[in-house]
């Protein structure tokens, strides 16, 4: 599940990102209201966690614009003000849920998950490439009907790659979506994980599915590298 968090307070954004990523969600963070609609045009997500108090354009106004443009992505509004009137205003603007600050992370996660469930038809829970299958709800991976054990991070990486089947994924994109880094930590962590993943999903099989594209990144597709 892909979640967009819009929050200008660095600390809150960081711990929300960490908590959601820890649940296996792909998380993107924006810090200004006016960035939301352009971002969603090119990156459809399953749930938006939207703070009300934002620079450039406030959350309620973003939400109204979003709904006016017939975007129905579920939105969880965050507000420092927890009064009944604000809640009603938020729901009127088109929010699907509302969470006053300060909130507990477990409550946030539960609500995001509930909203994401409604959006599930957009993202099939099971992915298939040749004889490799991945099921995001049961968190199982099989190749040729044989179950493959993956760590949480390896699973997230494979899920991201399989959702992007046929598209080249650059290291920076992978770092952002799987590790939640918006910067390059200057390590070869992606390559290390790719090697591990390849050992587990490709090494024992005649057809390779995970390919390195020199100087660009990685791609999953069903064909042998020439
Ligand atoms: Ca804020």
């Amino acid at each position: 599940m892909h979640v967009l968090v819009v929050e200008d307070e660095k600390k809150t954004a960081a711990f929300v990102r960490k908590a959601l990523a820890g649940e296996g969600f792909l998380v993107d963070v924006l810090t200004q209201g006016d960035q939301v609609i352009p971002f969603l045009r090119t990156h459809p997500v399953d749930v938006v966690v939207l703070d009300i108090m934002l620079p450039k354009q406030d959350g309620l106004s973003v939400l109204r614009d979003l709904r006016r443009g017939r975007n129905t992505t579920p939105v969880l509004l965050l507000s420092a003000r927890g009064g009944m009137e604000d809640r009603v205003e938020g729901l009127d603007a088109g929010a699907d849920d509302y969470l006053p600050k300060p909130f507990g992370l477990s409550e946030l996660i539960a609500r995001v998950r509930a909203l994401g469930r409604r959006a599930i038809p957009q993202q099939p829970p099971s992915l298939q490439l040749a004889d490799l299958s991945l099921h995001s709800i049961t968190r199982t991976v099989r190749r040729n009907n044989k179950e493959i054990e993956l760590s949480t991070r390896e699973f997230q990486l494979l899920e991201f790659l399989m959702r992007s089947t046929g598209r080249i994924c650059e290291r920076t994109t992978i770092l952002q979506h799987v590790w939640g880094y918006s910067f390059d930590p200057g390590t070869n962590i992606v390559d290390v994980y790719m090697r591990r993943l390849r050992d587990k999903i490709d090494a024992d099989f005649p057809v390779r599915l995970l390919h390195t594209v020199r100087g660009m990144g990685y791609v999953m597709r069903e064909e042998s590298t020439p």
Side-chain angles (χ1 to χ4, degrees):
M1 195 158 91
H2 191 171
V3 183
L4 172 64
V5 175
V6 193
E7 167 62 276
D8 58 312
E9 292 153 34
K10 288 227 168 71
K11 265 192 183 165
T12 310
F15 80 67
V16 166
R17 178 204 278 276
K18 204 173 165 205
L20 294 175
E23 293 298 300
F25 302 153
L26 303 177
V27 187
D28 278 298
V29 175
L30 297 176
T31 55
Q32 288 176 199
D34 62 339
Q35 300 168 330
V36 177
I37 288 170
F39 180 90
L40 289 177
R41 239 175 248 141
T42 49
H43 303 76
V45 302
D46 299 295
V47 178
V48 179
V49 176
L50 182 63
D51 189 36
I52 291 183
M53 300 287 279
L54 290 170
K56 306 280 184 185
Q57 188 182 3
D58 73 86
L60 284 174
S61 147
V62 171
L63 182 56
R64 285 191 195 103
D65 285 354
L66 205 60
R67 297 305 186 226
R68 228 174 266 139
R70 305 200 185 281
N71 185 316
T72 56
T73 307
V75 171
L76 171 62
L77 268 188
L78 300 180
S79 170
R81 312 166 295 174
M84 187 54 98
E85 270 172 43
D86 294 315
R87 189 190 170 90
V88 169
E89 198 184 358
L91 296 175
D92 274 351
D96 298 87
D97 201 356
Y98 183 97
L99 191 58
K101 290 179 177 177
F103 51 82
L105 283 180
S106 52
E107 184 166 20
L108 176 83
I109 290 164
R111 288 181 186 223
V112 168
R113 204 183 279 287
L115 289 177
R117 249 179 242 132
R118 291 186 213 167
I120 274 176
Q122 294 173 2
Q123 289 229 327
S126 102
L127 300 166
Q128 185 88 35
L129 175 63
D131 55 355
L132 175 69
S133 67
L134 175 147
H135 204 281
S136 11
I137 294 168
T138 56
R139 295 202 146 247
T140 46
V141 174
R142 284 195 162 79
R143 183 141 190 207
N144 195 16
N145 285 323
K146 187 179 147 236
E147 184 152 351
I148 297 172
E149 298 267 345
L150 297 181
S151 71
T152 303
R153 191 70 82 186
E154 288 162 358
F155 184 90
Q156 290 168 347
L157 179 59
L158 182 62
E159 184 176 20
F160 178 70
L161 293 167
M162 284 183 78
R163 288 203 188 281
S164 315
T165 290
R167 266 179 287 162
I168 296 170
C169 302
E170 294 175 24
R171 283 176 185 76
T172 48
T173 313
I174 294 169
L175 279 170
Q176 188 184 359
H177 284 270
V178 180
W179 275 266
Y181 292 160
S182 50
F183 56 92
D184 187 340
T187 65
N188 61 347
I189 188 165
V190 172
D191 306 276
V192 170
Y193 269 83
M194 287 295 179
R195 264 202 299 280
R196 278 193 218 163
L197 199 54
R198 190 170 271 152
D199 280 347
K200 293 187 178 183
I201 65 163
D202 266 351
D204 299 335
F205 300 90
V207 176
R208 285 179 48 198
L209 300 175
L210 175 56
H211 307 269
T212 306
V213 185
R214 273 199 155 191
M216 296 184 77
Y218 294 91
V219 64
M220 288 205 75
R221 59 174 176 239
E222 184 185 354
E223 66 185 61
S224 308
T225 315

